[in-house]
Amino acid sequence: MNIIPQHSLLEFNTLAVPAVAEYFAQVSSDKDIFECLAFAKKNKLVVKVLGGGSNVVMSEFIPGLVVQFCAQDCKVIQETDQSVTVKVEAGFNWHDFVLYCLSQDWYGIENLAYIPGHVGAAPVQNIGAYGVEVKDCIKAVNGVYLDGGDAFTLLADECGFGYRESCFKQALNGQVLITSVEFLLSKVPDVQVSYAPLNKMSAEKGLPTPSELARWVIEVRQSKLPDPKTLPNAGSFFKNPVVSTPDFNRLIERYPSMPNYPQENGVKLPAGWLIDQLGYKGKSFGHVSVHKLQALVLINLGGTGKDVIAAANQVCEAVEECYGVVLEQEPRLFH
Ligand code: FAD
Ligand code: NAP
């Protein structure tokens, strides 16, 4: 393992913003981690953990030691006729893991196909798509505390999972390195097709197998979402806001066609729709623009992290001014 000074992270973030880490190391064992923690302690550096860089906005200079955990082992630790528990190291590519599970006839995460990033980041924001959240298949999360290197295991109900939320974004923010995740997967297919595009396809073609469903998800995503390799982006830039019932009643009176999804704590509104109604699809803010097909995605063509945040702030201000709704940014600041 090498600890490299002044390392460019341009190719380590899907927004492709220019960024240099004061120090950078790719680690793949406990020994590597402890070496990094000792180096950081000796040189008084803060340790920052990076996965695949698909949900971060980087600043141009990142002080401290940026660590990327690369180990990718995957092993079965428990199995019955009905289910399997697999322990997967954090460096495993998420989409490859979904495909691997399908090849083994293990089910539950097929709706989460084609989400970029690493397995270790999946619990951080409790990744979700098409009505499925990863929390429902997570049994435990293992890692080490960056301050001291002690190991921890958190069971799913100790992870504070919520809508694109977890304790790793709150109380444990910046304090741990997740080294592996344990998933409890079913051997019995139970496909979830409640979201409109999947529902429509299953009405036309019949209920899919889990592998077919993953292919549909991939197809829909490829048709709507820009590929970060050609149009750098970090996926949805804003979370869908959940507004109170009185606020919702006020808005639906003004915008009777506004899509809405009742939740336990209010009503979820699609942030993409709110932005689209402002006529912002394709709108440019210098090097950063709102994607022309999907208003929730910001595209970066040559801007810095600061430019991305400035554009995001302009979108937020316009949404708040028009609807009185405050949007929350989804990608994490990495600075
Ligand atoms: P990074 O961006 O590297 O990191 C994200 C955060 O997690 C950072 O705060 C980082 O410090 C922390 N982190 C990463 N790895 C670890 C670790 N091992 N230990 C501790 N902390 C860690 N998200 C969804 O939920 N649903 C989607 O459908 C979806 N679609 C997307 C589509 C596109 C085109 C893109 C670009 C992004 C999309 N995302 C989606 C967002 C993103 O892919 C996910 O949040 C993903 O889990 C981020 O993984 P990553 O490895 O790239 O994490
Ligand atoms: P979409 O189908 O155009 O729907 C727009 C929004 O409405 C979605 O964000 C979704 O919320 C919500 N929605 C749609 N049908 C719903 C239902 N039946 N019940 C509850 N909420 C519903 O969305 P899209 O942009 O093409 O994305 C499809 C899925 O992929 C969504 O789940 C989305 O979250 C996920 N995705 C996430 C990212 C990311 O970076 N986070 C990027 C791309 C896609 P939810 O977001 O709560 O599901």
Side-chain angles (χ1 to χ4, degrees), residues 12 14 48-56 58 68-69 90-91 94 111-130 164 168-169 173-174 176-180 221 225-228 233-236 297 330 332-334:
F12 289 79
T14 60
K48 294 165 186 175
V49 182
L50 183 65
S54 64
N55 208 24
V56 286
M58 292 184 173
Q68 189 186 44
F69 189 73
W94 173 261
N111 292 46
L112 307 179
Y114 219 59
I115 297 180
H118 294 180
V119 163
V124 174
Q125 82 147 358
N126 177 24
I127 55 170
Y130 299 101
R164 307 291 188 267
F168 308 108
K169 286 173 87 170
N173 183 20
V176 298
L177 188 161
I178 294 166
T179 50
S180 65
R221 292 180 71 105
L225 284 169
D227 179 353
N233 72 86
S236 304
V297 176
E330 186 178 291
R332 318 283 294 143
L333 294 178
F334 203 83

Side-chain angles (χ1 to χ4, degrees), residues 220-294:
V220 177
R221 292 180 71 105
Q222 284 177 335
S223 71
K224 288 180 82 167
L225 284 169
D227 179 353
K229 288 195 190 91
T230 46
L231 291 174
N233 72 86
S236 304
F237 209 86
F238 304 102
K239 287 189 194 180
N240 291 322
V242 177
V243 300
S244 67
T245 307
D247 281 350
F248 169 70
N249 290 338
R250 175 179 59 77
L251 284 166
I252 199 73
E253 209 169 295
R254 259 173 71 198
Y255 305 100
S257 64
M258 180 175 67
N260 59 85
Y261 305 97
Q263 310 287 298
E264 274 171 18
N265 55 342
V267 182
K268 182 173 76 177
L269 306 178
W273 186 91
L274 300 177
I275 299 167
D276 189 10
Q277 292 301 299
L278 297 172
Y280 271 32
K281 260 189 190 158
K283 186 175 171 64
S284 278
F285 303 90
H287 292 291
V288 181
S289 55
V290 177
H291 185 50
K292 60 180 191 310
L293 295 179
Q294 168 52 287

